[in-house]
Amino acid sequence: MSKLTTCWRYVLVLSIVFTFSGCQSTDTKLTRLSGWSSNPVEEKLVAGVLADFHREKPAVNFKYEPIPGNYTEKIQLMLGTHTAPDVFYLRGETAPSYMRFNVLEPLNQYAADTTFRIDDFYPALLKSFQKGDTLYGVPKDFNPYVLFYNKAMFGEAGLTHPPQNWKELEAFSRRMTKDTNGDGKPDQYGLVLEPTIEMIMAFVYQNGGDFQKEDGTLGILDKNFLDALEYYVRLYRTGAATIPSDLSAKWNGECFGTKKCAMVISSGWLIPELRTNYNDVDWGVAELPVGRQKATIVFTNAYAMPKESIHKKDGWQIIDYLTSQDGLKSVVKQGLALPPRRSVAQNLGLYNDPVKRVFLQSAEFARTFQTTLPERWYEEASVALQMIYFDNKTPREAMEALNRQIESGILQ
Amino acid sequence: MPQPSTRQRDMITIAWLFLGFPLLLIGLFVFFPIGYSLFISFFDWNLVTNQRTFIGLANYTRLFSDSLFWKSTGNTILYTIGVVPIQTFLALFLAFVMNQKIRGRSFFRAAFYIPAITSSVVTSTLFIALFSKQGLINQLFGLENDWLTNPNTAMLTIMANNIWTTSGYFMVSFLAGLQSIPNSLYEAARIDGASTWQQFWKITVPMVRPVTYFVLVLGLIGCFQVFDQIFIMSAGGPVNSTTTLSYYVYVNGFKYFKLGYAAAAAIVLAVLIFSANQVQNRYFKPEVD
């Protein structure tokens, strides 16, 4: 019997050990860096730059721990369980929440170092990670919306330049929308637009409107906002443009790559697709057509440190290197990322590159699209747009509904 | 109370040995999270920070004043009412057919079962393609509907997906039930001149009632918790027409940083499932001899 009891205890202890061994043990001696990794190439690239850093600053003991999926959820859980990495990638879209929750380390005093030259960064990018004057993230790369156009289709239609303004955008798009097989439905569209608030905001900013005004009140019922939205929706409703789902595509880049349309508004993420999957498309890029003023939307990511980190000094050394001339150069040279520093773009001659120049110039008048509303605003905005596109509401009706929903306070 | 013998004690110890490990795991990964959810549903907590304010029932009262919560509850119930009867009947029907001596029976059995063992991500992606605007369904029937972006048909498409995948799964349960029905019953019915259809209704259906009950219970629980198909196929849209309770819980917890609120919604979902099962238990449970 005693034999059995011993055995039983043994099993119990083992099972407890087994059960808890799944819990993450974090090495507190190392400075940990985490980011998403969309592919092995990107992971290798980052590891390479970090190896350079290690040669330069061997005293900093760090570990690179890429997170393969559900990045935002994972970081959120890690912050909540006090196991967050000491340096992590922060998406511009989620930055307002993290800044509001006060979980990030303010970086002003680190960045004040004169050798760091914070003024070298494109201001629009810094703004994504600022709350008031406090900086919570150092931009690592960026992607502004630009206009991709199919040169062959433009040539065929006798058009010599990409559209410069809203009027031309509509006219050109109509001209290149055509039914080639005579079944009464267009087989080629001039333009494919996404029914998303980000893309619409580029037009809203161009028209002098805003989703949320400086004083925090909503601007979605203002004339400037509604006019831009109505223009955008009219392009779809009058058949001058279409949306990806009408062409059974997941996104507008797919429509562009499969030559179903002559123009799309997209950004850097489309380029590798065009080079690998759709390399028979003869494409060019141009700045977005201009409304009342130049404007576009920029997407950017940053390096940030949690307030709780015990390796802030080393953490900053990593950020400092990764966003330095050397660190950025090796990433930019090998990949497709655009450097957040003007000087790096200049030194690498990117302003002479016909494609990259357009992106860099767009950064000068780009804006990030963020609000200070509770996170649910984004889904509510998407619902409002779905009302327009899939439920036949007018832009005004949808925005009135959205306005009511946000003002009701239920989002809090 | 008589003292258990040494042998009995050993038996008890062995029983504990077998039970101990699963109990520990279940306790840690099932009962503890359930209890903890209930606990945090009384707090305002974003998970990211340490600040956890006790707010009593405020999460629940807020929940009941959120129209989207009611909409997702309605969607969940609609989904369940749509899916459970059809999938149960289809599973039984398929099992009945697959129990006949027909050619290529094992091929059909495998074919109907494959969707059940295929990842829901795969079947969902397949359905997105089938039901897209230029997809096969529209081409077959000469329609122009974009099933998943049309608020009136998005839920139907997701229901169809689930019916297709789970009826094959439950078919296996019914097959097992059918094979335990003595053949003599069918023979007797045939001698009395019953048609195949009559045999199905008068013998098969009543005889597999215990299996039907099992399938209904599992089907109901599964439907109330539907998540992955929604997540992949529609993300709750368009215009919230496919937002179900578990999707609502997910977005609140992980997108809106309202973990306490999401926990409250999860508790409501649990209560809903529990009550539905109670109703089933009371009115549909087969009598066991």
Side-chain angles (χ1 to χ4, degrees), chain A residues 34-38 42 71-72 88-95 107 121-122 124-129 135-144 267 269 298-304 319 322-323 328 337-341 368 370:
Chain A
S34 277
W36 53 82
S37 85
S38 19
E42 186 187 335
Y71 181 81
T72 311
F88 64 90
Y89 295 5
L90 179 65
R91 286 189 214 277
E93 304 95 270
T94 54
L107 301 176
F121 286 84
Y122 292 101
L125 311 184
L126 288 174
K127 224 181 153 214
S128 304
F129 307 102
L135 180 72
Y136 290 98
V138 181
K140 65 183 276 282
D141 52 28
F142 71 95
N143 271 311
S267 192
W269 52 80
V298 67
F299 302 89
T300 174
N301 303 306
Y303 298 105
I319 296 179
L322 289 173
T323 57
L328 286 172
L338 293 162
R341 281 182 189 273
T368 53
Q370 295 173 333

Side-chain angles (χ1 to χ4, degrees), chain B residues 36-269:
Chain B
Y36 198 63
S37 298
L38 182 64
F39 173 73
I40 57 174
S41 73
F42 301 115
F43 288 86
D44 179 18
W45 189 30
N46 59 27
L47 182 67
V48 179
T49 55
N50 270 336
Q51 276 170 357
R52 198 158 62 178
T53 333
F54 181 79
I55 51 169
L57 290 171
N59 278 331
Y60 291 90
T61 51
R62 284 190 73 88
L63 203 59
F64 296 139
S65 64
D66 182 358
S67 57
L68 184 55
F69 166 76
W70 290 110
K71 178 138 205 212
S72 19
T73 310
N75 284 342
T76 310
I77 292 171
L78 188 81
Y79 178 85
T80 310
I81 290 175
V83 170
V84 172
I86 299 179
Q87 92 185 2
T88 310
F89 184 76
L90 198 62
L92 177 59
F93 182 73
L94 285 178
F96 183 70
V97 175
M98 288 302 112
N99 206 29
Q100 311 296 318
K101 290 194 177 67
I102 50 168
R103 256 152 52 103
R105 191 168 70 166
S106 35
F107 166 76
F108 284 115
R109 278 188 187 176
F112 289 129
Y113 193 62
I114 278 173
I117 50 168
T118 309
S119 152
S120 56
V121 178
V122 176
T123 60
S124 300
T125 313
L126 202 66
F127 263 64
I128 294 175
L130 282 176
F131 284 83
S132 69
K133 198 155 185 177
Q134 299 173 346
L136 190 66
I137 299 292
N138 278 349
Q139 304 217 346
L140 271 181
F141 298 99
L143 299 170
E144 286 251 346
N145 183 25
D146 191 358
W147 295 80
L148 279 165
T149 62
N150 182 339
N152 300 318
T153 55
M155 192 54 126
L156 289 176
T157 313
I158 294 171
M159 282 155 86
N161 179 5
N162 210 26
I163 290 170
W164 177 64
T165 50
T166 40
S167 45
Y169 176 75
F170 288 130
M171 173 190 79
V172 175
S173 313
F174 276 123
L175 259 179
L178 287 183
Q179 274 155 12
S180 69
I181 301 176
N183 216 9
S184 53
L185 288 178
Y186 290 107
E187 275 166 17
R190 267 200 299 275
I191 290 168
D192 291 344
S195 67
T196 315
W197 195 237
Q198 281 171 325
Q199 289 171 37
F200 175 73
W201 282 110
K202 303 281 179 186
I203 302 174
T204 314
V205 173
M207 287 302 282
V208 291
R209 238 187 118 192
V211 183
T212 314
Y213 176 71
F214 165 80
V215 168
L216 281 176
V217 169
L218 283 194
L220 190 107
I221 295 175
C223 281
F224 267 112
Q225 293 176 337
V226 60
F227 177 78
D228 27 4
Q229 289 90 345
I230 306 270
F231 185 76
I232 296 158
M233 291 172 73
S234 68
V239 203
N240 291 325
S241 61
T242 60
T243 304
T244 56
L245 269 177
S246 51
Y247 191 76
Y248 180 81
V249 169
Y250 165 76
V251 288
N252 273 292
F254 290 99
K255 291 268 182 283
Y256 312 152
F257 300 93
K258 298 197 288 188
L259 207 74
Y261 185 77
I267 295 295
V268 173
L269 175 61

Side-chain angles (χ1 to χ4, degrees), chain A residues 195-237:
Chain A
T196 60
I197 190 70
E198 297 93 325
M199 208 170 272
I200 290 167
M201 283 313 290
F203 289 82
V204 171
Y205 285 147
Q206 290 195 354
N207 205 35
D210 209 339
F211 191 95
Q212 192 186 25
K213 290 179 277 195
E214 292 285 320
D215 60 1
T217 57
L218 291 177
I220 54 177
L221 292 178
D222 290 3
K223 192 177 181 320
N224 289 348
F225 187 101
L226 281 174
D227 284 353
L229 180 62
E230 269 155 18
Y231 168 78
Y232 195 91
V233 172
R234 199 180 60 235
L235 287 176
Y236 173 66
R237 291 207 171 147

Side-chain angles (χ1 to χ4, degrees), chain A residues 4-25:
Chain A
L4 246 177
T5 318
T6 325
C7 172
W8 183 74
R9 278 189 189 142
Y10 183 68
V11 169
L12 184 71
V13 168
L14 258 186
S15 54
I16 292 174
V17 169
F18 175 78
T19 310
F20 285 94
S21 62
C23 302
Q24 196 178 358
S25 62

Side-chain angles (χ1 to χ4, degrees), chain A residues 164-387:
Chain A
Q164 309 290 312
N165 51 49
W166 290 14
K167 228 177 164 173
E168 279 190 353
L169 181 68
E170 185 170 351
F172 286 16
S173 182
R174 270 186 211 289
R175 197 148 153 189
M176 289 182 286
T177 301
K178 55 186 181 185
D179 176 13
T180 48
N181 60 6
D183 64 351
K185 284 178 283 182
D187 309 289
Q188 175 188 306
Y189 273 91
L191 176 67
V192 175
L193 294 168
E194 306 255 4
T196 60
I197 190 70
E198 297 93 325
M199 208 170 272
I200 290 167
M201 283 313 290
F203 289 82
V204 171
Y205 285 147
Q206 290 195 354
N207 205 35
D210 209 339
F211 191 95
Q212 192 186 25
K213 290 179 277 195
E214 292 285 320
D215 60 1
T217 57
L218 291 177
I220 54 177
L221 292 178
D222 290 3
K223 192 177 181 320
N224 289 348
F225 187 101
L226 281 174
D227 284 353
L229 180 62
E230 269 155 18
Y231 168 78
Y232 195 91
V233 172
R234 199 180 60 235
L235 287 176
Y236 173 66
R237 291 207 171 147
T238 60
T242 192
I243 54 175
S245 60
D246 279 7
L247 298 174
S248 294
K250 283 211 174 63
W251 62 305
N252 63 6
E254 191 184 327
C255 308
F256 188 72
T258 51
K259 297 185 188 166
K260 284 181 181 159
C261 70
M263 294 180 282
V264 285
I265 292 174
S266 189
S267 192
W269 52 80
L270 177 55
I271 297 176
E273 296 278 334
L274 290 172
R275 292 205 176 137
T276 52
N277 299 336
Y278 312 114
N279 55 17
D280 57 336
V281 179
D282 181 17
W283 56 275
V285 289
E287 289 176 14
L288 289 192
V290 184
R292 283 197 212 172
Q293 60 193 41
K294 278 191 173 192
T296 188
I297 297 292
V298 67
F299 302 89
T300 174
N301 303 306
Y303 298 105
M305 292 199 280
K307 211 168 209 172
E308 281 190 344
S309 166
I310 49 168
H311 297 290
K312 286 175 191 148
K313 239 178 156 176
D314 284 356
W316 176 256
Q317 298 229 44
I318 295 176
I319 296 179
D320 187 25
Y321 182 81
L322 289 173
T323 57
S324 69
Q325 292 277 336
D326 293 341
L328 286 172
K329 264 183 200 165
S330 36
V331 175
V332 172
K333 254 194 246 166
Q334 296 175 60
L336 290 150
L338 293 162
R341 281 182 189 273
R342 271 197 200 96
S343 64
V344 175
Q346 279 157 359
N347 294 343
L348 288 174
L350 301 185
Y351 279 97
N352 302 323
D353 181 310
V355 171
K356 287 187 171 152
R357 188 181 60 213
V358 175
F359 287 84
L360 296 168
Q361 281 163 351
S362 294
E364 301 292 348
F365 53 83
R367 290 176 68 174
T368 53
F369 175 43
Q370 295 173 333
T371 75
T372 57
L373 300 165
E375 288 69 21
R376 191 168 142 187
W377 75 268
Y378 185 82
E379 261 73 20
E380 295 293 341
S382 305
V383 166
L385 294 177
Q386 288 162 0
M387 284 169 148

